[in-house]
């Protein structure tokens, strides 16, 4: 069973910064990333990072957020700078393991990020 332990959420004023961490058990994952879900909205991609370091960001966070990973610790990070009230959401860690027979997909429990104006 895969365990994802998230940390780093909280309350911050607009313009501030937070750093999220997600430590994963098990294998080294092909893709690690963060998604978020605001009240009344669908879950959306924030950023992903592949095992080789290739990154992908949502347009809304490009230039403000930075995703990174430490394969030795099996941990993914999300550095969030210049936070805006519209960044308020529950942030979920996601890891994917791509195998010959398919993709295994795992989610963290979520961590709340609240940005006050």
């Amino acid at each position: 069973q895969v365990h994802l332990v998230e940390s780093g959420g909280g309350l911050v004023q607009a313009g501030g910064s937070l750093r999220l961490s997600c430590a994963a058990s098990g294998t080294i994952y092909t893709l690690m990333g963060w998604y978020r879900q605001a009240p009344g909205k669908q879950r959306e991609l924030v950023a992903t990072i592949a095992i080789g370091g290739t990154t992908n960001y949502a347009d809304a966070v490009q230039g403000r957020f930075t995703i990174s990973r430490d394969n030795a610790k099996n941990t993914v990070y999300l550095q969030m700078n210049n936070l805006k009230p519209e960044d308020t959401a529950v942030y979920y860690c996601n890891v994917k393991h791509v195998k010959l027979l398919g993709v295994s997909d795992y989610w963290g429990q979520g961590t709340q990020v609240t940005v006050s104006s």
Side-chain angles (χ1 to χ4, degrees), residues 32-107:
M32 306 180 84
W34 294 93
Y35 291 70
R36 67 186 182 187
Q37 188 167 19
K41 294 188 177 181
Q42 290 188 329
R43 191 173 298 188
E44 63 179 6
L45 170 73
V46 176
T48 60
I49 183 167
I51 192 170
T54 300
T55 58
N56 179 51
Y57 294 94
D59 289 343
V61 307
Q62 182 78 45
R64 300 187 297 121
F65 291 10
T66 302
I67 190 169
S68 60
R69 63 188 286 172
D70 184 337
N71 291 331
K73 295 181 179 179
N74 221 3
T75 298
V76 60
Y77 306 96
L78 186 68
Q79 177 66 44
M80 305 184 291
N81 297 330
N82 190 21
L83 282 160
K84 303 176 181 181
E86 51 263 44
D87 294 319
T88 295
V90 178
Y91 284 69
Y92 296 91
C93 176
N94 174 262
V95 298
K96 292 180 171 59
H97 182 43
V98 179
K99 300 173 285 187
L100 286 175
L101 297 180
V103 179
S104 298
D105 198 13
Y106 305 98
W107 292 91

Side-chain angles (χ1 to χ4, degrees), residues 4-49:
L4 302 178
V5 180
E6 300 165 345
S7 60
L11 173 64
V12 65
Q13 288 188 332
S17 298
L18 285 173
R19 189 191 194 211
L20 305 183
S21 299
C22 173
S25 65
T27 187
I28 300 297
Y29 295 96
T30 311
L31 194 68
M32 306 180 84
W34 294 93
Y35 291 70
R36 67 186 182 187
Q37 188 167 19
K41 294 188 177 181
Q42 290 188 329
R43 191 173 298 188
E44 63 179 6
L45 170 73
V46 176
T48 60
I49 183 167

